[in-house]
Amino acid sequence: MAFSEPVGAAAATQTPPQAKLQVPPQGNRAAGHDGILRRQAQRESAARTYARSLPIVPVRARGLTIEGADGRRYLDCLSGAGTLALGHNHPVVLEAVRGVLDSGAPLHVLDLATPVKDAFTTELFANLPPALATDARIQFCGPAGTDAVEAALKLVRTATGRSGLLAFTGAYHGMSAGALDASGGASEVRVTRLPYPQDFRCPFGVGGAEGAELAARWTENLLDDPKGGVALPAGLIVEPVQGEGGVNPAPDAWLRRMREITAARGIPLIADEVQTGVGRTGAFWGVDHAGVVPDVMVLSKAIGGSLPLAVIVYRSSLDVWTPGAHAGTFRGNQLAMAAGTATLAFVRENRLAERAAVLGDRMLAALRGLASGHPCIGDVRGRGLMIGLELVDPDTGAAAPALAAAVRQECLERGLIVELGGRHGAVVRLLPPLTLTDEQAAAVLDRLADAIPAAARRTR
C-alpha cells in the first residue's frame, strides 16, 4: 500500500527557495496542524466545503505534490478544482509573476490598458477557435468564473432583447444568483431545462447515439412548438463536459446539433469552458472536439495560471454593452494576467492538450480494466484529464454516495487527493495537472485501486 509518508531530505531540496515557508519542527508538526484546523473550524463559515472532506494544511506545493503542515505529502488530483493546468508553482508561472513584481508595474489598474493585459489578450486570442478569434471581443469580469457566467447571461439578454435561457440538467455554472438559476440544482425554475445526453444514466433509457439524438429532438421540438410554453430564449448555455454534474462529456454530434439548432433560430450559444478550457479535455477548448464555434465563451480557472481571472469572449455583433454595463473592481488583475499568459503559452508550445488526450485515454483504459473486477464501479468516463468513476450499489445499480465518500477518505489516507461530484455525490473525480508524468499517473492509479476495495470493506 502506498500511504502518504513524511517528507524526506531529498524531497525537501526540491522546494525552490522562494517557496519556503516556516514549518514547525518534526515534533511540533502534528500540534500545529491540529491547531490550525481547529481554529479554522471555529472561525470560518459553515459554507466551507473542501476543508471538511480534506482536513489537511498545505504549506508547500510543487507540480502534483502538496506537503502538509504535518509533514505528509499528497498527490493532488483536485488541482484547485481544475484551476492548476500546470500544477502548483510551475516555474514559468513563478517567473511571470516575479517579473511583474520586480518591474514596478501597477498591480491594480481597473480596466485600463497595460502591456501585461495586452500580452494576455494577444496570447488568448491566438488560442481561440480561429472563426471566433477573427471577430471577437473580450470582457474582463470579476475574478471568479461565476461572474463571467453572469456577464455572459447579461450580454445575450441585452443583445437579443429577450430574457429566457436554456440550460441543461446536471449543469453547474457557479454560485451567484444567475449562475445558480442556470445550474441543475436550482430550487426555483426560472430557466428552461433540457436533457443532457449521457450513456450510463440516459434520461430516455437508451444511451449512446440514440439517446443523444432524442435529446436533440426534444430541444428542437420544444423550441418550435407554439404551445410548448417556451418563448424564444436569449441564449443557451452548455458545458462541453459537465464537471460537477458527474464528468459527463457531451457527444460531439449532439453538440454540433445544438449549434445548428441555436444558429437556425438566432439563439446565441454560450460555451461554459471554465473547467474544460486550456487543454483539460485533450483539446485546447472543450468545443474543439466537435468543431463547434460558440457565440460566447466563458473562461476562468486555468486562464489565470492559478490566480483569480475570468473573462468572456464573444462575437462582435453581440457587443452592445453601454460603458459600465458589467464591471468589477478587480477585473484588471495584473499578476493573474501575467501568470495566465505564461500558462497559455506553455500549454500551446508544449502541446499539453495532446498529451492530456493520450494520457487520459491510457488512464481511462486502466480504470475500465479496474472496473471489470469491482462491480461497485458502475461507470468510468471522461475526456482527457477530466475523469470520473461512478460508484454504485452492486446489487441495485443505485448511486452509492457513502461508498464514494469512503473512497475519498481512503485515498486521502494513501496520500491521494480526489473529490466527488455527480447527482448524488457518487462520482469520484480526477483533475490532475496537464504536466502529469507517466510515473505519477501510475502512482495515482495504484493508490486509487488500493482505496476502492478498502472503502468497500469499510462501508460493508
Side-chain angles (χ1 to χ4, degrees):
M1 293 186 180
F3 291 89
S4 56
E5 69 278 0
V7 177
T13 60
Q14 297 173 8
T15 304
Q18 67 273 9
K20 288 186 177 179
L21 298 174
Q22 293 300 316
V23 180
Q26 185 71 36
N28 299 331
R29 284 180 176 180
H33 169 273
D34 293 344
I36 291 171
L37 290 179
R38 184 177 63 254
R39 287 188 291 276
Q40 180 186 40
Q42 291 171 343
R43 296 167 177 170
E44 291 191 24
S45 82
R48 67 190 187 281
T49 54
Y50 298 112
R52 295 180 184 275
S53 57
L54 301 172
I56 63 175
V57 180
V59 293
R60 293 190 184 95
R62 186 67 176 263
L64 180 69
T65 303
I66 287 178
E67 179 187 342
D70 57 357
R72 295 189 178 276
R73 284 182 292 166
Y74 302 86
L75 303 182
D76 182 11
C77 279
L78 178 57
S79 298
T83 298
L84 304 171
L86 305 184
H88 294 276
N89 291 321
H90 194 280
V92 301
V93 171
L94 298 181
E95 181 181 1
V97 170
R98 196 176 301 113
V100 174
L101 293 174
D102 292 344
S103 72
L107 299 183
H108 190 288
V109 292
L110 297 172
D111 66 351
L112 300 180
T114 71
V116 173
K117 177 191 279 191
D118 183 63
F120 170 79
T121 304
T122 299
E123 182 63 36
L124 177 61
F125 273 48
N127 289 292
L128 291 175
L132 179 59
T134 57
D135 182 41
R137 297 291 184 271
I138 185 169
Q139 166 74 28
F140 288 85
C141 308
T146 190
D147 188 63
V149 169
E150 297 286 349
L153 303 183
K154 187 189 298 183
L155 174 71
V156 297
R157 283 170 165 154
T158 303
T160 63
R162 305 189 291 262
S163 60
L165 293 167
L166 299 178
F168 291 90
T169 54
Y172 177 76
H173 298 292
M175 293 299 292
S176 53
L180 281 174
D181 281 348
S183 299
S187 58
E188 297 180 12
V189 179
R190 291 186 282 183
V191 175
T192 300
R193 307 288 166 196
L194 301 173
Y196 192 97
Q198 49 178 310
D199 291 339
F200 189 60
R201 298 196 186 277
C202 174
F204 303 104
V206 293
E210 184 181 358
E213 173 60 21
L214 289 172
R217 288 177 59 187
W218 176 280
T219 301
E220 199 166 24
N221 181 74
L222 188 67
L223 288 170
D224 293 344
D225 185 354
K227 295 295 185 181
V230 177
L232 192 67
L236 180 151
I237 184 167
V238 63
E239 298 161 274
V241 180
Q242 288 190 336
E244 302 299 323
V247 195
N248 295 308
D252 292 343
W254 174 83
L255 196 55
R256 287 191 288 269
R257 281 289 303 279
M258 291 299 103
R259 173 69 285 186
E260 292 167 1
I261 289 169
T262 53
R265 292 159 182 79
I267 303 170
L269 176 65
I270 305 167
D272 184 340
E273 293 266 9
V274 169
Q275 196 165 105
T276 52
V278 195
R280 168 63 55 190
T281 66
F284 211 95
W285 310 108
V287 293
D288 289 344
H289 295 283
V292 164
V293 181
D295 301 296
V296 185
M297 293 178 69
V298 181
L299 311 176
S300 188
K301 290 191 185 294
I303 67 162
S306 76
L307 298 179
L309 187 64
V311 304
I312 57 172
V313 181
Y314 51 90
R315 297 188 188 278
S316 63
S317 59
L318 297 173
D319 195 32
V320 295
W321 294 117
T322 56
H326 193 82
T329 301
F330 293 99
R331 63 195 184 278
N333 188 336
Q334 296 289 281
L335 293 181
M337 290 177 193
T341 303
T343 297
L344 291 167
F346 193 88
V347 171
R348 171 178 55 80
E349 292 166 358
N350 292 276
R351 304 177 68 86
L352 292 190
E354 292 91 331
R355 164 70 177 166
V358 172
L359 188 53
D361 285 347
R362 193 182 307 157
M363 294 179 72
L364 284 167
L367 290 169
R368 287 173 180 138
L370 178 67
S372 65
H374 294 282
C376 65
I377 303 176
D379 193 34
V380 175
R381 55 184 180 260
R383 202 156 206 178
L385 291 177
M386 193 171 181
I387 296 170
L389 296 82
E390 182 161 349
L391 300 181
V392 300
D393 183 318
D395 298 323
T396 66
L403 176 58
V407 169
R408 176 178 59 191
Q409 179 60 34
E410 293 288 346
C411 283
L412 189 65
E413 292 174 9
R414 287 158 175 75
L416 175 63
I417 297 173
V418 300
E419 249 302 335
L420 308 181
R423 267 45 170 203
H424 304 284
V427 178
V428 176
R429 302 182 60 204
L430 300 177
L431 291 166
L434 309 187
T435 51
L436 188 72
T437 66
D438 291 350
E439 293 77 13
Q440 289 172 334
V444 168
L445 294 173
D446 286 345
R447 297 185 192 196
L448 182 57
D450 198 36
I452 289 172
R457 291 191 295 270
R458 172 187 290 196
T459 55
R460 283 199 301 269

